[in-house]
Amino acid sequence: MFSKPKSWISGGLWKPKNPHSLEHLKYLYNVLCKNQTVTEQNRSLLVETLRTISEILIWGDQNDSSVFDFFLEKNMLAFFLRFMRQKLGRYICVQLLQLLNILFENIRNETSVYYLLSNNYINSIIVHKFDFSDEEVMAYYISFLKTLSLKLNKHTIHFFYNEHTNDFALYTEAIKFFNHPESMVRIAVRTITLNVYRVDDRSMLRYIRDKTAAPYFSNLVWFIGNHVLELDACIRHDIDHNSRDRLADLVAEHLDHLHYLNDILCLNIHALNGVLTDHLLNRLLIPLYVYSLTQKQAYEQRTEERPHVSPAVSLFLLSQVFLIMHHGPLVNQLAEIILNGDHTVFECSPSSPDTASKLPGFSKPEEPLAQTLDSYRGSLKRRRKKKRQSYENPESDIKEVEDDEKSVQTDEGSTPLELNESADSVTPGADVPPRPHQNSTDEEKLLKSSSISSGGDVVAFSLDERPYLRAMFLALECTENDYEALFALCLLYALGHNEGINQNLLDTVMFPTEKSAVNNYNVSLVEKLISIITQSCQDGSKVRLATLELTSMLLRTLVHQPSKGHCWLQDGHLAAIEGGREEGTLQLRSFYKSEEIFLDMFEDEHRELLKRPLNVEYLTMDASILLPPTGTPLTGIEFCKRLPCGEVERARKAIRVFFLMRDLSLSLRQEEETSLPLTKDGECIRLGDVLDLNNSDLIACTVLYKDNRRERRFLVIDVLQLILVEPDSRRLGWGVVKFVGLLQDVEVTGDKEDSRSLHVTIHKPASTVHSRPLPLLAAKFLFDDHIRCMAAKQRLTKGRLKARQRKMQMIARLLELPGHIVDSMYQPAQFRQSSSSVVRANTSTPVGRARPAGGFFPGEC
Amino acid sequence: MITIDGKQIKLQIWDTAGQESFRSITRSYYRGAAGALLVYDITRRDTFNHLTTWLEDARQHSSSNMVIMLIGNKSDLEARRDVKKEEGEAFAREHGLVFMETSAKTAANVEEAFINTAKEIYQKIQDGVFDINNEANGIKIGPQHSTSSQGLPSGGGGATPGGGCC
């Protein structure tokens, strides 16, 4: 319609030259007035106009307040809203949402924000029925809500939450997308909810709890549970590691959920946490995760039953829960059931049938969240009615499920619920164990646990009536493989390191940790752990390194407290561990010198072990451990999480086992490590040291670096190191160390074109896993003539060889290799022989080093 | 929307600034992204010193293929410079990052920073490093089969670009 609207159809207002000015905004306003209806023809004009308006508004917010006044005066938000509601409004919706987004993101003036939010236009925009099937609209819409949520505080909350009508569009509209297929949308929803919860406004939080918490959380845990079921199915149908990407996604998704829930719990909103804990425990963690722990045999047999996952998956997921969440009421109740509970948690006590509704059950919320929320929006009357329904119906749902469950259980003897014979004997009602209710207090639990432990202080521990704990112990068995054992260890570790769990609770199963006062350990648990250790030290063991390392960590927390400085491991148990260590050493002996690079492997593995001790949290983030243990590196699985492949890797594994066992044994016997690492910092010469080099062999050379730097230096070859010095200006015959590198890592080659030059590279291990290993030095050494050059080359090559031999002998001694224990083979190099003359100036005083007078600096020509 | 190699690429950029207090949120951002811009302030050494932590965080939560750009921002404030360009370069070299200095104020190198990130990602797609059929990588094939979009969270040692950015 208007081909050149900007130039002439502007109602007498010419487009001002300055794009950032009130005049320009007025002009643009006019453009909008002329185009009040969106058409095919003017859509690009409108989009451009809106874009420019947002630019001016931001500029105005910081430079000219009249701009904003004009915007408000003309009620431009209302204008926008009218645009959106038009038939063709969708053409400019994206631009409008973007404009609003930029506006709220950038406006710094508080009052401006208030003005924008008054009049309820923003709320009308929020509830506007956008076309969410359009990906772009969805993205901008949810970003807009997120931006708004970042502006929430005690004051602005009232623009969004209406106490009288119980309306909170920003929140209720956002949570409708909690299960949107696009992950970025889900993240935004989580951000919005967290931003809402953290606003300290009582009536708003009451509304959240009373009107939305139950439906939102029940839908959320149902969503999580279904992801978990999908995860389980993914593993079951993938023996060949084909769907690793999907699996990794599902695991990461689960972690996302847990972190999100934990973030909510960490906000410490009492009322909300109660509802959340209740839903999490009784609708997800207990009925799905804990229930699945004992589902091993029932796995193939039964088809029609309540949903569950494999015990391994359940152990894995529970470890994640305990590693991430520390909310006291939640973790204590959950740990209590795992450690001391039995199947009766799923049973209804006959004495109080009304509790049936509170029994744990993983069941579908009775209506989709969006529907529940929309129904709140109706008239007040309808809302009240609806509310009652939505609270009653799910309960009756559960009742049905539970009733089914009960009848099944009493009818057949081979139901999964009665997997463990011992659990059968428990008559329902006679001794009802504490049921996980959100209102059971810590004090109650304290009483309870103390009564148990006082019952039998010595060895009154039994796995009878502890089906879940027993399942965990069974999982530690790794005669076939260590698949389940690794998860059980993770869970035990997570339980032991969870700050939210009362130590008294752990004491009931004799699981001492740093926090506990008792020195009693659970003998059957320790024996299980020792059996894993023994197995992993054997030839061709099916136990992975991660499993061994974790076992060793766990064992230490159980029997050894460095803070108290003692270890209470029984002699028999210690002997068993020593036996394992010897076995491991024996294994390694067969690999000694089997490879050219044995020394490098040995040192590298030790460095790795020190630098990256097993991080259990990271371990449980790795989906690859959920697939059956494999040996092939082709899967890309990290070495310590799979079995070795080929001779070199078997050597690597033997080295690791040796280190782990040595470390465990030393710390249990409370001895210090004195032999490792092979290179001790104290023995090395450092940069800046000043050395007495009188009577030492020095070769003068010029070092040419890659970046064309050149330096005149003297080359010194020590027992372990290559050293470059420059003369000390204060003392004749002394040199200041300018560079040091290990001789064992030196690579030296001659220069084809120049017989006076050598190419010297000194390798260095990478500082972190992801970084590239850069050589410590890569330079050309230019000597005075080819004879010096040859001499240097010979000495470097020989030095490297000797340094390596020396270390190999040290390893031989560590391995107690017969025939190698002799020290006589250790021939110190010439330089070290005269070590009395090598003095570091920084080590106090170079006393007693009487040198022949008139010592000269040999290299100086 | 940018064009590389004749292919239209839509960049989706997420700013994590200000949301660090929730661990779940930063975690998820990293995960859904194909590339990240790690930004420090060249006038504040502390922001540079924190890079290792940020990097470790990013690597831990993201796929190992994520392209990470190291950005030294506020290059317009040469007089107040506290971190040498060489230091940034050295850090990037050691950790396998691409390095640039930018100024959000003068817009110097800002567009290049994003374009270079996209180019690196595109290269990785060409090399087959990224599985474009897995949306969790942060890459999606567009409707006309010629468009892909990527999420790039940006954020870093407290040096968020000043001025309005769209």
Side-chain angles (χ1 to χ4, degrees), chain A residues 22 62 87 136 173 207 210 222 412 437 543 553 739 794 798 850 861:
Chain A
L22 180 60
Q62 282 151 30
K87 201 164 153 245
E136 231 172 315
E173 290 303 307
Y207 162 81
D210 295 345
W222 174 249
E412 305 168 36
H437 286 160
V543 180
M553 279 162 74
F739 174 86
Q794 262 182 23
K798 220 170 149 188
C861 326

Side-chain angles (χ1 to χ4, degrees), chain A residues 356-373:
Chain A
S357 60
K358 289 195 174 157
L359 281 176
F362 177 62
S363 54
K364 192 177 176 161
E366 141 250 21
E367 59 179 2
L369 181 62
Q371 214 173 311
T372 321
L373 292 171

